């Protein structure tokens, strides 16, 4: 069974600081990886996803993530955060296979990011 | 725009009641999912369905059942609601792994 581990429960930064949120997954096969964001009171939104190809993936709002297969990691980064980035961030994984239970999306426990102005 | 609609935003039920949470998607997606979201625990999969009348248990199916009679509708059923089922429930749908769309959630309180 697949699982996802997010290292930090709560991260507090000042505006303009750089951000890196850790994500490690456990699965024996090829995976698809995702980062989602949930702003206060809003529904989950996709930030970026990795299926194959270039391991450095760029998403919306200046976020990027790097897939390091040897480390089973998919860390999220942003060079300079803004107050509006305050939200909860979730890493998620599916099997890269097709059909049925391969589409099961498994989430980490989330990291709450607070950006102080 | 692609949409997943959950019938209720807030719901308050009594212990022991049978509760139905409804979810409808308008994208002709084959896969539908029910998660519950709790602080510090992230999103945990309750059940999912990859075709009409097909269902598979997720990580925390105990106390829940589901129904998918039509492709666009996926219902979560709490046979006898308990206070530990107080939570935010999220429905999602997907076409393969290409895109998962989430509903706005139903905040269920069991008293």
């Amino acid at each position: 069974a697949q699982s996802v581990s997010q290292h930090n429960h709560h991260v507090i930064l000042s505006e303009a600081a750089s951000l890196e949120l850790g994500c490690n997954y456990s699965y024996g096969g090829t995976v698809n990886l995702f980062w989602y964001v949930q702003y206060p009171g809003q529904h989950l939104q996709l930030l970026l996803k990795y299926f194959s190809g270039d391991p450095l993936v760029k998403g919306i709002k200046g976020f990027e993530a790097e897939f390091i297969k040897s480390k089973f990691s998919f860390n999220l980064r942003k060079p300079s955060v803004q107050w509006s980035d305050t939200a909860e961030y979730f890493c998620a994984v599916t099997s890269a296979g097709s059909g049925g239970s391969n589409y099961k999306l498994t989430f980490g426990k989330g990291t709450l990011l607070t950006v102080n102005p | 725009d692609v949409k997943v609609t959950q019938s209720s935003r807030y719901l308050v039920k009594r212990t022991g009641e049978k509760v139905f949470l409804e979810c409808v998607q308008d994208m002709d997606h084959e896969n539908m999912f029910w998660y519950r979201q709790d602080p510090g625990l992230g999103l945990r999969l309750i059940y999912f369905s990859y075709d009409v009348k097909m269902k598979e248990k997720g990580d925390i199916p105990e106390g829940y059942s589901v129904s998918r009679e039509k492709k666009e509708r996926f219902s979560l059923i709490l046979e006898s609601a308990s206070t530990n089922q107080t939570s935010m429930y999220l429905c999602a749908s997907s076409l393969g792994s290409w895109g998962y769309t989430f509903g706005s959630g139903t905040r269920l309180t069991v008293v």
Side-chain angles (χ1 to χ4, degrees):
Chain A
Q2 61 218 39
S3 66
V4 177
S5 176
Q6 291 185 240
H7 311 303
N8 308 101
H9 179 61
H10 191 187
V11 172
I12 302 172
L13 296 173
S14 298
E15 274 193 317
S18 64
L19 170 71
E20 181 159 2
L21 301 182
C23 171
N24 286 92
Y25 68 92
S26 172
Y27 183 68
T30 307
V31 295
N32 298 323
L33 293 156
F34 306 79
W35 274 98
Y36 283 85
V37 62
Q38 188 173 37
Y39 298 101
Q42 296 189 25
H43 61 274
L44 278 166
Q45 300 174 39
L46 180 67
L47 270 180
L48 47 81
K49 59 187 177 186
Y50 172 81
F51 280 17
S52 63
D54 187 344
L56 186 60
V57 180
K58 293 193 184 300
I60 60 171
K61 306 188 181 193
F63 286 91
E64 64 179 30
E66 185 175 13
F67 172 52
I68 303 179
K69 189 175 180 180
S70 61
K71 294 185 177 181
F72 298 90
S73 71
F74 190 55
N75 292 353
L76 182 71
R77 300 195 292 246
K78 186 171 184 179
S80 176
V81 294
Q82 302 172 320
W83 176 77
S84 58
D85 292 324
T86 294
E88 192 158 18
Y89 293 80
F90 295 94
C91 183
V93 64
T94 68
S95 162
S98 59
S101 59
N102 287 302
Y103 303 135
K104 173 183 167 184
L105 184 64
T106 299
F107 286 86
K109 292 183 178 182
T111 298
L112 181 62
L113 173 65
T114 300
V115 180
N116 293 319
Chain B
D1 224 7
V2 156
K3 273 194 178 166
V4 174
T5 303
Q6 295 183 229
S7 54
S8 304
R9 187 81 175 101
Y10 298 95
L11 213 50
V12 179
K13 296 292 182 181
R14 293 193 181 279
T15 302
E17 273 193 80
K18 189 169 186 175
V19 181
F20 293 85
L21 302 184
E22 305 288 345
C23 175
V24 177
Q25 50 101 356
D26 65 359
M27 300 159 283
D28 202 34
H29 282 174
E30 70 221 19
N31 307 310
M32 295 189 75
F33 308 81
W34 275 107
Y35 291 87
R36 64 177 282 176
Q37 182 177 10
D38 300 287
L41 297 178
L43 282 80
R44 294 178 291 166
L45 182 65
I46 304 171
Y47 268 97
F48 68 103
S49 167
Y50 46 87
D51 201 350
V52 175
K53 297 190 187 291
M54 303 297 288
K55 60 186 178 185
E56 194 164 317
K57 291 180 181 178
D59 301 315
I60 52 163
E62 296 80 17
Y64 303 94
S65 62
V66 290
S67 172
R68 193 168 181 200
E69 297 295 320
K70 293 185 178 181
K71 192 174 187 179
E72 67 271 18
R73 186 180 296 269
F74 192 36
S75 303
L76 179 69
I77 304 154
L78 287 65
E79 295 289 341
S80 177
S82 64
T83 54
N84 63 13
Q85 293 178 309
T86 291
S87 186
M88 173 68 86
Y89 290 88
L90 293 176
C91 177
S93 72
S94 81
L95 184 66
S97 288
W98 288 105
Y100 293 80
T101 302
F102 286 83
S104 298
T106 296
R107 185 166 293 283
L108 173 67
T109 301
V110 182
V111 298

